[in-house]
C-alpha cells in the first residue's frame, strides 16, 4: 500500500495564483500578441498596450505589490511567464517600471516607498513610467566601475549628480528615474548609493536611443546627468544610514549595505520566468507546426529526429520553470541562496530560451527564418536573457563561488 503524501508539500498552484495566470494569459493572447509584430517593427514604446494594461489593473502598483507579497512567491514568476509568452518587447514595456520600484522598495525608507512608487505607475487615466539606471558605458557587469558621481551640497541639503547611464529601460522617457551613483569612488561598489530623480528635474536628459536586435518594443536609451540636483530626501535609505555604511566600509568591516546583493540575487527568478515564457511560446508554435506540416506524406513530428528535438525542448522548459519556482519560493520565504539558486534559475532559463527558440526556428525550416512567422522574433528576443541582469558568465561565476567557497576570478 502506498503511503499518503507528506503533509504541506504540493506543486499545485493556489487558487489566487491560477487566477493571476489566467488573467495574464488572457491579456497576452488577446492584446499583446496581436500587436507584437507591429511594435517590434516600429521600435517604439507601445503606449496603447500599456494603457490597456493600466485600465484592467495589470499595469499598476497594486498588481506588482500584491504579487511580490503572494505567500508562495509564485505570483510574479507565473504572471511574467504569461506576459513574455505574449511578446518579450511589449511585456518589458509593461514590467520595466517594476525594476525601479523594486530598487526603491529594497533600499528606501517606508516614507520614500510610499512617496515614489505610486508616482512610477500613475493612474489608468495618466500612465507614468519609471527607469532604473545602473549600467554605464564602461560599467556593466563590473558595478564597482561606476563613474557617475553624487556629491553632497551640505549648505542646500542637495545631491549633485553627474555622469552617463546606458542600457536603461525607459531611460529618458520615464517620469521617475532611480540612479545608482558613486559617493566615495575609492570604496568601489561599497561606496555607492541610489537616488530618486523626480519628474522634470533639470539636467537629466535622454542620450542615444538604441536600435536593438530584439525586445524592440521596449525603449532602451542612455540617460545623461549634467549637474542634476535632487533634495537630500531623494537619497534612498537616508544620509544617516549611508554615513554608517561608508564608515564601516572605510574600516574594512562587512557592511550591511552588501545585503543589496542578496536582494539582487533574489530578483533573478523573475528574469528566469521571462525567459521561460519566451521559450514556451516558441516551443508551442513549433509543436503545432510539426504536427500539421507534412513532408513525404506524413507530419514532420512523426520523424524521430524532430520528436527528439521537441522532447529536449519540452524537458528543458519544465526544468527551467521548476528552478525559477524553487528560487522564487526561497526568496519569498527568506531562505538563503547558499548555492546561488537565484542565479541558477536565471542562467538555466536564459540558456533554455536561446536553445529552444533556435531549434524552433530550425524546425520551421525556411519559414522560421522569415518575419512572416513569429519564431524569428522570439529568437531575437531570447538573446537578451543571457545578457541583462547579469550575463550567463556572471551567473556561472556567482554559482561557482557559492558551491566552492573560493574567490573565483
Amino acid at each position: 500500500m502506498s503511503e499518503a503524501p507528506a503533509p504541506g508539500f504540493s506543486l499545485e498552484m493556489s487558487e489566487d495564483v491560477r487566477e493571476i495566470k489566467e488573467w495574464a494569459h488572457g491579456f497576452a493572447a488577446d492584446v499583446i500578441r496581436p500587436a507584437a509584430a507591429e511594435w517590434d517593427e516600429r521600435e517604439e514604446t507601445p503606449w496603447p498596450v500599456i494603457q490597456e494594461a493600466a485600465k484592467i489593473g495589470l499595469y499598476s502598483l497594486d498588481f506588482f505589490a500584491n504579487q511580490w507579497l503572494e505567500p508562495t512567491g509564485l505570483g510574479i514568476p507565473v504572471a511574467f511567464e504569461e506576459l513574455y509568452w505574449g511578446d518579450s518587447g511589449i511585456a518589458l514595456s509593461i514590467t520595466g517600471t517594476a525594476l525601479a520600484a523594486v530598487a526603491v522598495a529594497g533600499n528606501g525608507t517606508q516614507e520614500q516607498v510610499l512617496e515614489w512608487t505610486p508616482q512610477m505607475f500613475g493612474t489608468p487615466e495618466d500612465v507614468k513610467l519609471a527607469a532604473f539606471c545602473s549600467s554605464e558605458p564602461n560599467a556593466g557587469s563590473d558595478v564597482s566601475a561606476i563613474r557617475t558621481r553624487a556629491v553632497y551640497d551640505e549648505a542646500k541639503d542637495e545631491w549633485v549628480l553627474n555622469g552617463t547611464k546606458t542600457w536603461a529601460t525607459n531611460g529618458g522617457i520615464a517620469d521617475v528615474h532611480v540612479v545608482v551613483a558613486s559617493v566615495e569612488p575609492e570604496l568601489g561598489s561599497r561606496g555607492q548609493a541610489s537616488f530618486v530623480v523626480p519628474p522634470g528635474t533639470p539636467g537629466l536628459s535622454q542620450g542615444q536611443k538604441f536600435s536593438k536586435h530584439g525586445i524592440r518594443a521596449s525603449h532602451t536609451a542612455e540617460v545623461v546627468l549634467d549637474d542634476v540636483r535632487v533634495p537630500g530626501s531623494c537619497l534612498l535609505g537616508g544620509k544617516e544610514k549611508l554615513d554608517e555604511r561608508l564608515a564601516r566600509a572605510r574600516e574594512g568591516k562587512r557592511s550591511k549595505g552588501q545585503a543589496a546583493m542578496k536582494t539582487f540575487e533574489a530578483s533573478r527568478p523573475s528574469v528566469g520566468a521571462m525567459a521561460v515564457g519566451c521559450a514556451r511560446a516558441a516551443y508551442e508554435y513549433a509543436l503545432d507546426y510539426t504536427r500539421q506540416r507534412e513532408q513525404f506524406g506524413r507530419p514532420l513530428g512523426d520523424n524521430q529526429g524532430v520528436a527528439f528535438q521537441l522532447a529536449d525542448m519540452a524537458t528543458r522548459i519544465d526544468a527551467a520553470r521548476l528552478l525559477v519556482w524553487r528560487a522564487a519560493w526561497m526568496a519569498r520565504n527568506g531562505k538563503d541562496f547558499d548555492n546561488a539558486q537565484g542565479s541558477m534559475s536565471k542562467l538555466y532559463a536564459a540558456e533554455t530560451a536561446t536553445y529552444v527558440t533556435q531549434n524552433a526556428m530550425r524546425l520551421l525550416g525556411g519559414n522560421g527564418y522569415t518575419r512572416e512567422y513569429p519564431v524569428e522574433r522570439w529568437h531575437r528576443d531570447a538573446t537578451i536573457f543571457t545578457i541583462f541582469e547579469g550575463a550567463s558568465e556572471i551567473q556561472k561565476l556567482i554559482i561557482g563561488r557559492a558551491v566552492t567557497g573560493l574567490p573565483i576570478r
Side-chain angles (χ1 to χ4, degrees), residues 226-246:
D226 183 11
D227 283 337
V228 172
R229 286 182 168 268
V230 298
S233 59
C234 288
L235 166 63
L236 291 180
K239 193 169 187 304
E240 182 178 347
K241 183 178 178 181
L242 173 63
D243 288 342
E244 291 176 358
R245 178 159 58 84
L246 294 177

Side-chain angles (χ1 to χ4, degrees), residues 118-139:
Q119 296 187 51
M120 293 179 172
F121 293 90
T123 66
E125 297 74 31
D126 186 18
V127 172
K128 305 294 185 183
L129 296 177
F132 179 65
C133 308
S134 177
S135 295
E136 296 183 2
N138 294 309

Side-chain angles (χ1 to χ4, degrees), residues 35-375:
E38 175 190 350
W39 292 101
D40 174 75
E41 193 68 30
R42 291 173 63 167
E43 294 190 68
E44 297 175 0
T45 301
W47 284 105
V49 182
I50 299 173
Q51 288 165 347
E52 286 299 312
K55 286 179 183 177
I56 67 169
L58 191 56
Y59 180 80
S60 69
L61 176 59
D62 284 347
F63 171 74
F64 286 102
N66 289 338
Q67 297 321 304
W68 278 115
L69 297 174
E70 195 279 323
T72 67
L74 299 185
I76 287 290
V78 165
F80 278 22
E81 178 180 333
E82 298 305 325
L83 294 175
Y84 283 76
W85 170 90
D87 178 71
S88 295
I90 292 178
L92 187 55
S93 288
I94 294 172
T95 63
T97 290
L99 298 175
V102 168
V104 172
N107 297 289
T109 64
Q110 184 176 1
E111 291 76 17
Q112 289 171 326
V113 173
L114 293 174
E115 178 179 3
W116 293 112
T117 53
Q119 296 187 51
M120 293 179 172
F121 293 90
T123 66
E125 297 74 31
D126 186 18
V127 172
K128 305 294 185 183
L129 296 177
F132 179 65
C133 308
S134 177
S135 295
E136 296 183 2
N138 294 309
S141 297
D142 182 10
V143 294
S144 64
I146 285 176
R147 293 292 175 263
T148 295
R149 286 298 311 275
V151 178
Y152 185 55
D153 183 342
E154 189 170 1
K156 296 183 178 180
D157 185 26
E158 292 179 339
W159 288 90
V160 184
L161 277 60
N162 282 283
T164 299
K165 294 296 182 178
T166 193
W167 312 122
T169 299
N170 298 333
I173 65 170
D175 298 275
V176 178
H177 291 75
V178 178
V179 177
V180 179
S182 178
V183 177
E184 290 196 21
E186 62 273 15
L187 296 177
S189 60
R190 300 179 74 181
Q192 296 168 2
S194 296
F195 301 83
V196 172
V197 181
T201 300
L204 185 148
S205 63
Q206 179 185 308
Q208 177 186 1
K209 178 189 175 185
F210 296 103
S211 182
K212 306 187 298 296
H213 177 66
I215 56 168
R216 286 150 55 104
S218 173
H219 176 97
T220 309
E222 291 181 328
V223 174
V224 180
L225 303 138
D226 183 11
D227 283 337
V228 172
R229 286 182 168 268
V230 298
S233 59
C234 288
L235 166 63
L236 291 180
K239 193 169 187 304
E240 182 178 347
K241 183 178 178 181
L242 173 63
D243 288 342
E244 291 176 358
R245 178 159 58 84
L246 294 177
R248 291 176 62 86
R250 293 188 204 102
E251 295 172 6
K253 297 178 180 178
R254 185 171 180 82
S255 172
K256 293 180 180 180
Q258 294 300 99
M261 294 304 294
K262 183 177 179 181
T263 302
F264 190 51
E265 170 77 354
S267 72
R268 290 191 170 117
S270 299
V271 182
M274 300 174 188
V276 171
C278 182
R280 196 184 103 213
Y283 163 72
E284 289 177 357
Y285 197 95
L287 178 63
D288 288 343
Y289 185 90
T290 56
R291 282 170 169 168
Q292 297 170 16
R293 175 81 167 181
E294 290 195 0
Q295 292 286 284
F296 306 105
R298 60 178 181 173
L300 279 175
D302 194 31
N303 293 283
Q304 188 180 77
V306 171
F308 279 10
Q309 286 188 61
L310 292 167
D312 284 341
M313 293 157 74
T315 301
R316 289 189 60 159
I317 290 170
D318 271 10
R321 182 184 296 110
L322 287 171
L323 282 171
V324 166
W325 283 15
R326 178 185 68 169
W329 177 86
M330 291 177 69
R332 180 65 183 89
N333 289 278
K335 305 294 183 182
D336 290 334
F337 284 161
D338 50 357
N339 280 338
Q341 287 91 339
S343 287
M344 285 183 180
S345 69
K346 195 270 185 184
L347 169 66
Y348 192 78
E351 295 297 330
T352 292
T354 58
Y355 171 85
V356 170
T357 55
Q358 181 180 39
N359 278 278
M361 201 161 59
R362 292 170 63 186
L363 288 173
L364 267 68
N367 287 333
Y369 200 65
T370 71
R371 294 199 176 185
E372 298 299 315
Y373 291 77
V375 291

